[in-house]
Structure formats: structure tokens, C-alpha cells
Amino acid sequence: MDEAAAIARLKSCGVIPVVVIEDAGRAVDLAHALVAGGIDVVEVTLRRPAAIEALAAIARSVPKALAVAGTVVTPAQVSQVKDAGAQAVVSPGFSESVDEALRKAGLPWLPGVATASDCMRAVAAGRTTAKFFPAEQAGGPPALKALSGPFPQMSFCPTGGVGLKNLGDYLALPQVICVGGSWLVPADAIASGDWNRITTLAREAKEAFLKFRG
């Protein structure tokens, strides 16, 4: 999948679930539950040992979901997630070495930015779509709006402190293509296999997105 197609999927989905998973055996059911609720992008963060296996399971068994690797911070991880079948990659920050590895791997990438300096580095590398992280701690919608002044070519996926209560504040900004968050994939629901709850949360998130962008 090329970068334009991946970004189009993110925009269409609207809300990107940020998944921290402890048991790879639950990954496929989790992805199916999200898809049932209208969320067809799944970002599996590399924060737990089970992440690579979980990512691979989703990429292999849930074709309706875009399998995204999150928290990729080293070139070595780029190779791992490509081998696992990741279709796109998200990072919490910007790194020239990770940028180079992803170009060689041919994978779409959303680097993380939080400051004007981060944006300058991303733009210099030709990266104009980024994850704004940590969104709330970095100043929220006012900060994002301010960054868009000197960087009108950039678009963003705010993540970090985003939820149903403030999702609309971000989506009101034209430079925001989607938002990300973990609220629709709570750890206790994943651990207990409460897939109905996950589907309900996904549906609520999708409806909230469509309210502002439908």
C-alpha cells in the first residue's frame, strides 16, 4: 500500500484505536470487534512482547482491517513490523534513521511531532502528514492551530489525551485528518474478551467522528 492510499484509509476511518495488547491470541477477535463497530484501522503499539505476533495475526487473518504498527522507534523495529505484515507505521517522534529505514521498506509512515522544530525536520524530509503527540500535553487544539500557521502543508492525527469529550475540538481543525486514542480499546475489555463492549465503543467513536466529518 502506498502512502496516499494509507492516508486515505486513516481519513476514512476517522478514529484510530491505539492498542496495547498483552495476549496475541486475542488480537484477531479484537480486530473483528473493531471492524464490526465501523473502525477498520488497528494500530498495535510495540509496547508489549506480544505486539509483533498480534500485528501479524491481524494482518494475516483480518483483511478488512488496516494493520498499523505503532511506537516504532528504531530501524530494527521497521524490519520486524514489515516482516509481520504491517501496512503502515506510526512513531511517537521523528528520527532520520527510522525515516530512511521506512523508505527502504516501502512502508507509509506517520512520524510524531509536538513542536515547530519537529515539524521543520519532518517537512525537510518530505513528510507532511504526522502524528501530533502527546496532543493534550503538547497544547491541544490551540497549539495545533498555531503550528499550522508556519506549516500549512502539514496534516495531523492528534493522539494522547484524545477521547469522546474533546474529539470534536480537534476535528474542527481542517488540518486534522483523524484522531487516535486508546479509550475504545480498554485493557480490561481486551483481557476479558468483552468484544461486545469493544464494538460498542468503536461504534460510538465512529458516530462521533461522522457527526463532525460525515
Side-chain angles (χ1 to χ4, degrees):
M1 177 175 289
D2 64 24
E3 190 143 334
I7 291 170
R9 284 289 297 273
L10 297 179
K11 291 176 71 173
S12 175
C13 184
V15 181
I16 313 306
V18 180
V19 177
V20 179
I21 194 161
E22 304 285 350
D23 179 2
R26 296 191 178 276
V28 170
D29 287 337
L30 170 63
H32 281 306
L34 288 165
V35 170
I39 299 297
D40 63 356
V41 176
V42 184
E43 178 187 336
V44 179
T45 68
L46 302 191
R47 300 182 188 180
R48 298 292 187 271
I52 293 292
E53 186 180 349
L55 180 69
I58 293 170
R60 180 176 61 248
S61 302
V62 193
K64 290 184 178 180
L66 183 74
V68 179
T71 323
V72 173
V73 297
T74 69
Q77 288 175 323
V78 172
S79 297
Q80 287 181 307
V81 300
K82 182 176 183 180
D83 290 344
Q87 294 162 285
V89 172
V90 179
S91 297
F94 185 89
S95 160
E96 281 76 11
S97 62
V98 172
D99 176 63
E100 182 180 358
L102 282 157
R103 291 184 190 280
K104 290 179 179 178
L107 284 172
W109 184 40
L110 259 66
V113 300
T115 66
S117 294
D118 294 339
C119 291
M120 287 176 66
R121 292 172 66 200
V123 169
R127 303 288 187 176
T128 56
T129 304
K131 171 180 179 174
F132 180 57
F133 177 82
E136 284 292 282
Q137 294 87 342
L144 193 48
K145 186 176 181 179
L147 283 173
S148 296
F151 303 103
Q153 70 273 57
M154 292 197 72
S155 55
F156 302 91
C157 175
T159 306
V162 180
L164 281 178
K165 291 183 178 179
N166 61 357
L167 167 153
D169 296 334
Y170 287 98
L171 292 174
L173 302 176
Q175 62 270 32
V176 170
I177 62 167
C178 59
V179 300
S182 59
W183 83 89
L184 62 166
V185 282
D188 60 334
I190 297 174
S192 65
D194 191 349
W195 309 126
N196 287 335
R197 181 182 171 198
I198 297 288
T199 295
T200 297
L201 290 169
R203 187 174 294 117
E204 289 176 351
K206 187 70 173 189
E207 289 173 353
F209 168 73
L210 291 174
K211 177 182 178 181
F212 295 96
R213 293 287 177 88

